[in-house]
Every structure is written in structure tokens, then in C-alpha cells.
Amino acid sequence: MGSKLRIVNGRLYDPANGVDGEVRDLCVEDGRIVESVGPDAKKIEAQGMVIMPGGVDIHCHIAGPKVNLARKLQPESHRYDVQPRTAFTRSGTGGTVPSTFTTGYRYATLGYTTAMEAAVPPIGARHTLEELHDTPVIDKGFYVLLGNNVLLNQLMKEGRRDELRQAVAWWLNATRAYTIKLVNPGGDEPWKGQRNAVITDLDQNIDSFDITPRQVITSLIEVANELGLPHPAHIHCNNLGHSGNYKTTLETMRMAGDSRVHITHIQFHSYGGEPGKNPTSMAPEIAAYVNDHPNVSADVGQVMFGKSTIMTADAPVAHLLRRLGSDKRWVNSDTECESGCGIIPFSYQEHIYTHALQWAIGLELFLLTKDPWRMVLSTDHPNGGSFMSYPRLIRLLMDRDFRDEQIKLVNQRAIRKTTLADGLSREYTLNEIAIVTRAGPARLLGLKNKGHLGVGAEADITIYEEDEDKEKMFTAPRYVLKDGKLIIEDHEFRGDNEGRILHVAPAYDPEIEKVIKPFFESYYSIRFENYAVTDHYLRAHEEIATAKPMAAE
Ligand SMILES: [Zn+2]
């Protein structure tokens, strides 16, 4: 690198450092933000432009076994959305599940420079890392699925608490993951093993293991905190999508006590009503709980109208939804992995009651939550919609007139069940958008050098031309810099970048391998020695430090 750059006359939005729209110069040297650079530095004139840190996506699905299956399942979406190569970028295909190259480039065209793949079965770690290495421009990492792990379940059942913590630390190292992900905790294994048995209650006994979802959730929240992971347990609650599931969501948040916890795509978990009947909105109750509990954070999982791909490690819910897809295609897979998987091509439509309600609940959560640092933006890409719909979502949050027009176009029976009918007047400011799209997710992920523009921060910078139409403004930044390298200039690609894999490596006692190895030899189709991802498998990567373990002997 070594390049020096001074960006002049732009309006800076850097909420982590309390900078709210001040016009000031920003200097870059060797890939970092610096105090100043000499007169020989290259200059970017940014008058009339807004400068923000690069976007950080805390929850998306962009790599790994289920993502690849979803690509194979929808060849038509590639045929109709071809991205040709340019002098700087490689070719690819789009649709709701773009190819690896196109995923990286499209994030860059929105001004995003970091994205976290949110659900990988441990045995799929190598595959995921290969795809992430192949995803250009952005830094990236993944969350490893440990909420339906047979060996961990046994350790929980037998109360072997210390070994549980050691085993989780071993698994995080073996996969090079970023944090622990729970999906339908405790619910996938019985579904796979007992003729699609469905676990609906947090205190329901999971027969094959003699434990409950509550035990799985509380133990893994504790372990994540004890290991000092930079991001806490990332939880997709039980009963996703079911009417009445807000009770499960509230109870899951309560279980954390004062410990940090992140509830993902919380929109899909904010439904009232009787199970099996039409859902209602419980967004106000969920928002109130989050408002009152600073240990809890969430991402919204906004639904956006149009094509999506339901893609989840929650195998039972995909199995249940399989008839609701936009065509006959559906996959349940990965049943042999330490998790599950389901994929359904889908389309959200304005006139359908449930879809309109889901869209409205997402907006309610954004508008009713007081602290934008803890309710950050996601569509659970590609579940609620593609990440390419973020600019439209930003306009919905920033522009009340636009929002009110859109509200009129959707199923009114659904709108009447929500507080949107009361005319929520809040409009997000640019500062709040900077929080929910970059500063907030970076802070929740514990990424100290991202999401801000203070001295020492990574020079991941996005420069937008100001525009009344916020969708237009956020769709095509004028400049995007990654680690100080100019990737996009005047809306065109001018460079490429590999990006780093972000992962943790918490310390563990190697004695735990004596517990894990025999289990492998009895049950796995892969030898223990071949399972863990080794250093030589990683190309550009960065280990994010864990805090000192709390009270761990
Ligand atoms: Zn997800």
C-alpha cells in the first residue's frame, strides 16, 4: 500500500466518535486513518458529499453448503442477471443468491466493506472458507452452528460444564469461526432423528438427549461470555415464523440475565396470535424489552417485497414452509451435519396479509427501538430480501412521505394490526443510518478498527453524493475505499481487493481432544485429524482477540 490520501470538504458521519455531519478533511495512509498527510498526498474533492465508514453486515448468508445449494436450485436467476468482467473485476451471476465474485462486488457497490456469514455447520467450515476467500473486496467471517451438536448436548446433559466450554473453544478454533450461532436450539436433532418431531417449548424435553432448549441456550450464552468472544452468542430463537412466537423470544432474552446476547432477525420472532392462526404484531412488546435491556442487541431481518430465498439451518421450519414457496422447488439437506438446512425460493408480495405484516413489523421494530446501536439493519439476506434492497429500506426509514405512500400500497388488514396505522412519524437521520449500517454492527461484533473513522481505524470509507432521494443516494456511492485502496471511483470499479477472514481463537486445554476424538471415531465420516481447519488453509486472515475469560479457572 503506502498510498496517501486526503479527502477534502466532505460531510463526515462518524457516530462512534461523536461526529455528526461536520465538514472536515479525512486523511489516509498505509490503509489506516491518520491525523494528517503531507501536501504530496492524492486529493479527493468531496464537496456536497457524505462520508461514512464502510458498511458492516452483521448477518447474511453468502457462503457455505446451503448457499451453494441455493445457487444450484435457481439457475434461471443466474441466466437473467449476468455480471460481465471489467478491467478490474471478474465475471459472475446475481439473483437473490449471487456467485462469490458478484457477492463481493455488489456489497462494494453499496459501500459495504465487511459482511458476516451467519450459519455454517462445523463440517462445512472448509467449504465456507474457500468461498469466502473467493468473495472479493470485503472482509468477512462466519458464525458456527453449535446449537444442535450431539457431543455438546451430551456434555450439557451430564453437567460437564468445564469440558463444554473447552469443547466449544476447540470447535471455534477447529473451524476458524467468529462466534457461536444457535439456530432453533435443540430443535433440529429431534426433527432429523424422530420423524420430523417438532420442539416448540423452551422447557420441552428433547428425548434423545434428555435436555431442554433452555439448557442449550443458557449454557451457550454463558460459554460465549466466559470465553470473552468479541460477539456474544448469536441466536435464531425457537419457533421462527410461528404465530405467538414473541413469548419464546422474550423468554430467550430473559434467559440471558445480564449477559450479552444477540437475537438475530428479530422481526421473524415478533409475532402474536394463536399457533396455526394468522399472526399479529408484537413488535411494541419486543421493542420495549430491548429498550429496557442494554445487554440485548438484535438485527431486524426486514422483509422487502420481491424475490427472496429462504435459506436456513432451521430444517423443521423449511420443511413446514415448503408448500408456500413461489414454485415447487424445495430442499432439506445437511441432515448428516451437526445442524440442519432448508432452502425454498420465495417471493414476498404486498397484497398477502402475512407478508405485509412481516414488512410492517420490521419497520415497527426500527421505529420503536430507542437505541439504534442495538437494533441494527439486516434483511437476513437473502431470507427477507437481497442485501441489494438496503438502499430502499434506508429510504423507508429516512423518508416518512415515501413510507406513508408505500404503506398505502400493501394489505391494509395487516397494517391495521400494527402501530404503523397510528402514523409513526420518526425519520432516521443520516447519523442514525450510519449507526445501524456500520458503527452499530462493528461495535456489536467487537471490531474496534471498523465502523468508525477515528485515527487508527481501517480506511474502509464510503462517499455518497447527497440526494433528497435516499434510495438513489445509497444505491451508488461515488467512491468506495477498502483499506485505503480506491475500489470505486466515480461509480466505476477502479481496483480489486482480496479481503480478510475474521476469526477468533479462544484458548482451550488440549486435553479436551481426548473427549472429542473418540466421539469422532464412533460417529463421524471424517477422521479427527482431517477435520480441523489448519493455518495453511487460511489466506489473508485476522484473528480478533478474545477478552480475558471471566472467572474461568
Ligand atoms: Zn439468517
Side-chain angles (χ1 to χ4, degrees):
M1 276 175 275
S3 60
K4 293 181 200 167
L5 187 68
R6 180 186 290 269
I7 304 166
V8 298
N9 297 325
R11 277 210 294 139
L12 235 63
Y13 289 86
D14 182 12
N17 293 305
V19 180
D20 181 4
E22 282 170 46
V23 174
R24 57 161 88 167
D25 290 2
L26 192 62
C27 297
V28 173
E29 187 171 353
D30 292 333
R32 298 268 173 170
I33 309 286
V34 293
E35 199 77 61
S36 72
V37 286
D40 56 326
K42 182 182 155 79
K43 210 178 258 186
I44 289 181
E45 173 59 53
Q47 188 156 24
M49 299 184 207
V50 159
I51 303 176
M52 291 188 182
V56 178
D57 199 335
I58 199 170
H59 187 109
C60 59
H61 300 280
I62 55 172
K66 69 185 181 323
V67 177
N68 230 12
L69 265 172
R71 291 185 183 116
K72 282 188 212 164
L73 195 63
Q74 304 172 86
E76 76 288 355
S77 67
H78 307 171
R79 199 176 308 132
Y80 298 129
D81 187 3
V82 174
Q83 176 149 342
R85 63 174 294 180
T86 70
F88 300 98
T89 61
R90 302 169 77 172
S91 63
T93 57
T96 54
V97 193
S99 64
T100 50
F101 299 155
T102 299
T103 296
Y105 296 133
R106 288 198 173 167
Y107 264 116
T109 61
L110 294 185
Y112 271 71
T113 49
T114 305
M116 303 302 271
E117 156 59 50
V120 172
I123 206 165
R126 267 197 181 75
H127 171 174
T128 306
L129 289 165
E130 284 175 358
E131 286 197 31
L132 290 178
H133 278 313
D134 231 21
T135 305
V137 186
I138 58 174
D139 294 335
K140 49 255 159 174
F142 70 86
Y143 311 150
V144 70
L145 293 158
L146 295 180
N148 283 283
N149 182 299
V150 174
L151 177 61
L152 297 182
N153 284 358
Q154 278 179 13
L155 296 176
M156 286 173 205
K157 174 189 156 190
E158 291 162 17
R160 295 157 72 182
R161 198 52 189 68
D162 186 54
E163 285 162 290
L164 174 70
R165 187 177 68 239
Q166 302 292 350
V168 168
W170 179 86
W171 244 296
L172 288 165
N173 278 277
T175 56
R176 309 294 164 142
Y178 196 76
T179 197
I180 304 168
K181 174 75 182 297
L182 284 78
V183 168
N184 183 19
D188 272 23
E189 274 301 321
W191 179 83
K192 291 192 285 187
Q194 296 165 41
R195 293 174 181 259
N196 307 141
V198 174
I199 299 287
T200 57
D201 193 296
L202 290 169
D203 295 309
Q204 195 172 334
N205 196 54
I206 304 161
D207 294 340
S208 34
F209 298 104
D210 199 21
I211 54 170
T212 63
R214 183 184 295 274
Q215 282 171 279
V216 177
I217 296 164
T218 50
S219 352
L220 291 178
I221 289 174
E222 283 168 23
V223 165
N225 283 299
E226 287 166 9
L227 293 174
L229 302 182
H231 182 58
H234 192 98
I235 303 184
H236 155 146
C237 296
N238 301 76
N239 290 327
L240 178 140
H242 291 276
S243 296
N245 66 6
Y246 81 105
K247 291 182 197 152
T248 307
T249 311
L250 288 175
E251 189 53 27
T252 304
M253 292 191 281
R254 276 187 209 112
M255 272 183 226
D258 295 333
S259 299
R260 278 188 70 197
V261 69
H262 184 88
I263 306 293
T264 189
H265 40 68
I266 198 164
Q267 176 278 127
F268 288 108
H269 304 273
S270 301
Y271 307 151
E274 294 297 312
K277 302 255 174 68
N278 263 348
T280 58
S281 170
M282 286 293 164
E285 286 73 5
I286 295 288
Y289 190 91
V290 174
N291 286 342
D292 290 345
H293 294 83
N295 62 308
V296 176
S297 62
D299 59 275
V300 170
Q302 176 70 33
V303 154
M304 297 298 281
F305 297 115
K307 278 190 188 277
S308 79
T309 300
I310 293 173
M311 179 193 288
T312 179
D314 194 335
V317 87
H319 184 243
L320 201 78
L321 292 173
R322 67 194 186 281
R323 286 186 203 87
L324 298 179
S326 49
D327 52 49
K328 296 274 188 293
R329 288 173 285 181
W330 146 68
V331 171
N332 263 120
S333 175
D334 284 2
T335 44
E336 77 287 5
C337 295
E338 312 104 316
S339 176
C341 159
I343 299 156
I344 307 164
F346 203 75
S347 173
Y348 288 100
Q349 297 169 48
E350 290 88 339
H351 65 276
I352 295 178
Y353 170 86
T354 307
H355 301 182
L357 186 83
Q358 292 177 300
W359 176 81
I361 289 175
L363 294 178
E364 286 186 282
L365 290 164
F366 274 116
L367 298 171
L368 297 172
T369 306
K370 292 186 181 137
D371 183 0
W373 291 94
R374 296 187 291 108
M375 181 64 77
V376 299
L377 185 144
S378 73
T379 58
D380 189 15
H381 159 88
N383 282 282
S386 162
F387 63 78
M388 294 301 283
S389 65
Y390 291 173
R392 193 175 184 81
L393 175 53
I394 290 171
R395 186 172 182 199
L396 285 165
L397 299 176
M398 291 194 75
D399 181 344
R400 187 186 172 188
D401 291 341
F402 174 69
R403 186 166 71 229
D404 285 346
E405 277 167 33
Q406 299 299 307
I407 288 171
K408 284 187 202 133
L409 302 177
V410 313
N411 184 301
Q412 293 302 299
R413 205 161 50 84
I415 295 299
R416 284 195 292 276
K417 292 250 167 41
T418 72
T419 50
L420 292 187
D422 310 335
L424 290 178
S425 61
R426 180 170 174 192
E427 289 183 325
Y428 271 53
T429 61
L430 279 171
N431 199 55
E432 287 174 314
I433 293 297
I435 295 171
V436 296
T437 57
R438 43 264 284 165
R443 184 177 286 180
L444 296 177
L445 288 166
L447 292 168
K448 295 192 170 65
N449 299 323
K450 290 186 183 292
H452 74 99
L453 297 171
V455 169
E458 289 162 17
D460 294 355
I461 304 168
T462 305
I463 306 178
Y464 302 97
E465 287 165 319
E466 289 200 62
D467 199 301
E468 272 304 299
D469 180 341
K470 296 299 184 273
E471 182 174 356
K472 189 171 156 219
M473 174 174 163
F474 282 93
T475 294
R478 175 87 173 258
Y479 301 95
V480 178
L481 289 101
K482 177 78 193 75
D483 292 319
K485 277 191 275 184
L486 199 53
I487 304 295
I488 290 177
E489 182 180 22
D490 294 334
H491 311 290
E492 301 281 341
F493 277 96
R494 292 282 186 264
D496 203 349
N497 182 60
E498 181 177 336
R500 296 183 293 278
I501 303 285
L502 308 171
H503 66 97
V504 295
Y508 64 91
D509 179 354
E511 285 292 299
I512 194 62
E513 294 185 5
K514 290 185 183 153
V515 175
I516 299 170
K517 192 174 174 186
F519 180 80
F520 264 74
E521 271 147 28
S522 305
Y523 297 106
Y524 271 73
S525 57
I526 178 172
R527 291 190 70 89
F528 181 74
E529 288 75 11
N530 296 333
Y531 181 80
V533 176
T534 47
D535 262 342
H536 85 274
Y537 210 81
L538 293 169
R539 292 212 301 263
H541 68 108
E542 182 182 352
E543 182 189 319
I544 305 298
T546 51
K548 263 212 164 93
M550 295 185 331
E553 64 277 51

